[in-house]
Amino acid sequence: MAYKITDECVACGSCAATCPVSAIQEGEPTYSINADECVECGACAAACPTGAIVAPE
């Protein structure tokens, strides 16, 4: 399971800039994570200023 971006996302781009495998794409109205590319490293969650990225369950 990949990390997920919740509705708390403010589309700042911090997560996409830190993803080592470029699994995060800009979308409308928020960014999204490609589950097939995500390696679950947590870099995006650590970089998110609003806590909008949650770990896989």
Side-chain angles (χ1 to χ4, degrees):
M1 299 277 305
Y3 275 73
K4 295 187 182 201
I5 300 176
T6 68
D7 291 339
E8 299 297 317
C9 177
V10 294
C12 68
S14 295
C15 58
T18 61
C19 181
V21 294
S22 301
I24 303 174
Q25 295 83 33
E26 186 173 4
E28 286 296 325
T30 63
Y31 279 68
S32 63
I33 299 175
N34 181 324
D36 293 332
E37 295 177 11
C38 178
V39 294
E40 299 178 24
C41 68
C44 57
C48 181
T50 63
I53 302 176
V54 294
E57 297 178 3

